[in-house]
Amino acid sequence: MTAHLTLLAALVFLLLSFDKRSLFQYLKKKILIINLEPRRLDSAPMATVCCNWNETALLVIDMQNDFLLPEMGSPMLVPGAKAVVPAVAKVVSLARERGIFVIWVVREHDPSGKDVELFRRHHYSNGKGPTMKGAKGAELVDGLKIRDGDYKLVKTRFSAFFNTHLDAVLKGSGIKRLVIVGVQTPNCIRQTVFDAVALDYEHVTVIVDATAAATPEIHSSNIRDMKNVGIATPTLQEWTCSGA
Amino acid sequence: MALMLSALWHSLPSKPFVTFGSANPNLRVRCTVGIRSNDDLSHCSAIPLQLKPSACDRRFVRNNCSIKATKASKGDVSTASTKCGETAMLVIDMQNDYVLSESPTRIVGANAIVPSVIEAVSVAREHGVLVIWVVREHDKKGRDVELFRRHLYTDGVGPALQRSKGAELVEGLVIQDDDYKLVKTRFSAFFATNLDLLLKSCGINNLVVVGIQTPNCIRQTVFDAVSLDYKHVTVITDATAAATPEIHLANIEDMKNIGISTRTLHDWRMTFKL
């Protein structure tokens, strides 16, 4: 009994005399490396030590032909948005390298328009309308492809969380941090990230040059509002370097 | 007798709807007839009256209050005919902690709109519009506030705490018996609340929104309202406010772009007189 107490006292003395800060940082590094095993089943290389990518998901929102390509003749075209396609492709590529969960959020609507917002229903007649399920207009633009291990989520309103199971998918995968790219800033991007904040996602990031609106003024005023509720708004370059 | 009634019916001027009596004291048949006088009544439905007085009874009491259609453009869902009994006014976050100039969490433009909000509420009551007071009331530990604001809640102090003076409505705004109070803990009045259920069960199709602040609680509420297929959503531009006029106007523009009606108080009041 005395020997045990002596041993215990010695251990306590040792612990108290340790440089706890260094010990903690050492342990943190060790734990982080263990946690950075790639989630995906593909052959993506193991991520370098960084910030919680296994708890991060990338939402790629509405990068579909009808919203981006003028030649589709869609009333839902976001003028100029096609310019962000290369940046979005780059983010997706980087996300995959880092083992970030990639979720393709798309609109797919009924030809009668019965599942679209009221103020857009007049765009749907004679079996035609924007981003109809199965139509070319609803497909992802050239250069963006869903791969094994990614996830496709269909929505029918602005926010990717509205009436979808997105929150369940994310929470079930242990996701606490979101990165968002796509179109368009004042509607689907904004509603999604504000809902993400309301749902207590710990870190929400919008990559400012991989998102777009009809005009630069609309884009920047919405980015400002997002900053004001704690959303991070880096450029692609900044996000590439920080890995947040 | 039937012929006489039929002749009488067809000679009546068109009305938006007509109410008939019924042998059943708990039923009143309420029919929406079209503008053509030869419409039949096959689409009439019996709507049970509330057995106890409630805010929803307004629908049956003031059914002669219609706002006529104004010219509507294609896809514009904001200017078609609205009926007062199918409209609710949401007064959002007009609380001391967000409005009073001495409060550290005030919205800078908020104090200036208090008189307009008072007037808007008065007009709403005058015309049988259901008034819903939407307020934030938070736990003193901040457990029910957004993550990015939790640092504001320490030592039992923080904005809009339950039962605190800061959570009360500003002076001049008073909840009356027929009104409804709704507590929310996030930006949108629809987020994790019973608001949509309440409105649908009261037969509310149209919303008029006043209060603060434009880029957050106002915007999230009206965008959710559009997503939830409310037919007409109106924001009164001079009875809502943001930290700066630029932020306010930029958000109003975005709301217009998704079919929300954005009117001044004066213009909104005038819609009752058309």
Side-chain angles (χ1 to χ4, degrees), chain A residues 78-81 184-186 211-222, chain B residues 254 257:
Chain A
V78 181
Q184 61 158 316
T185 322
T211 42
T215 71
E217 293 73 30
I218 291 175
H219 182 68
S220 56
S221 67
N222 278 274
Chain B
D254 290 345
N257 286 339

Side-chain angles (χ1 to χ4, degrees), chain B:
Chain B
M1 183 66 169
L3 280 171
M4 277 176 59
L5 282 172
S6 173
L8 183 64
W9 170 249
H10 285 292
S11 68
L12 287 173
S14 302
K15 288 183 182 174
F17 51 86
V18 176
T19 305
F20 297 90
S22 166
N24 183 340
N26 292 328
L27 276 182
R28 184 165 291 172
V29 178
R30 177 172 176 268
C31 305
T32 304
V33 296
I35 56 171
R36 292 170 298 165
S37 59
N38 59 351
D39 275 350
D40 67 18
L41 305 177
S42 60
H43 54 278
C44 294
S45 55
I47 301 169
L49 286 172
Q50 302 286 333
L51 294 179
K52 286 185 186 172
S54 74
C56 301
D57 282 350
R58 199 173 292 278
R59 180 161 62 130
F60 298 104
V61 171
R62 296 180 191 259
N63 61 4
N64 59 346
C65 169
S66 288
I67 304 168
K68 282 193 185 172
T70 55
K71 193 173 177 186
S73 57
K74 196 175 182 187
D76 178 357
V77 297
S78 63
T79 54
S81 176
T82 55
K83 297 186 178 68
C84 302
E86 294 178 7
T87 303
M89 170 172 281
L90 307 182
V91 187
I92 299 185
D93 292 353
M94 292 299 293
Q95 300 162 267
N96 288 329
D97 272 343
Y98 303 128
V99 176
L100 298 182
S101 44
E102 56 268 27
S103 168
T105 51
R106 74 186 181 285
I107 307 302
V108 169
N111 212 8
I113 64 163
V114 172
S116 301
V117 173
I118 292 173
E119 194 186 330
V121 170
S122 170
V123 170
R125 286 191 179 126
E126 209 181 310
H127 294 281
V129 171
L130 173 61
V131 177
I132 299 179
W133 300 90
V134 181
V135 293
R136 276 191 185 248
E137 286 181 4
H138 286 295
D139 173 71
K140 62 184 177 193
K141 293 183 183 174
R143 287 175 293 200
D144 55 8
V145 82
E146 294 92 331
L147 284 180
F148 78 99
R149 286 175 172 162
R150 286 212 187 157
H151 65 283
L152 297 172
Y153 293 78
T154 51
D155 303 323
V157 173
L161 290 181
Q162 290 161 1
R163 293 179 295 280
S164 72
K165 185 102 185 117
E168 290 174 6
L169 294 175
V170 294
E171 209 171 308
L173 297 176
V174 179
I175 303 180
Q176 288 185 4
D177 280 348
D178 278 350
D179 300 345
Y180 190 92
K181 177 183 167 187
L182 182 95
V183 175
K184 68 177 177 72
T185 57
R186 292 290 187 274
F187 304 120
S188 171
F190 289 100
F191 190 94
T193 71
N194 66 325
L195 179 60
D196 188 47
L197 188 60
L198 169 75
L199 294 173
K200 298 258 159 76
S201 67
C202 284
I204 302 290
N205 292 317
N206 315 305
L207 297 175
V208 181
V209 179
V210 298
I212 49 175
Q213 59 158 321
T214 322
N216 294 353
C217 301
I218 302 295
R219 182 167 175 149
Q220 288 310 104
T221 299
V222 299
F223 266 67
D224 278 353
V226 168
S227 289
L228 287 162
D229 288 347
Y230 284 88
K231 290 192 188 147
H232 312 292
V233 182
T234 301
V235 171
I236 301 183
T237 54
D238 49 354
T240 43
T244 70
E246 293 73 30
I247 291 175
H248 180 67
L249 289 172
N251 279 273
I252 293 295
E253 274 308 301
D254 290 345
M255 291 174 197
K256 268 189 200 156
N257 286 339
I258 62 160
I260 292 167
S261 173
T262 54
R263 299 175 186 272
T264 61
L265 180 54
H266 173 266
D267 289 349
W268 179 66
R269 186 201 273 275
M270 292 308 292
T271 61
F272 291 97
K273 294 182 180 166
L274 290 172

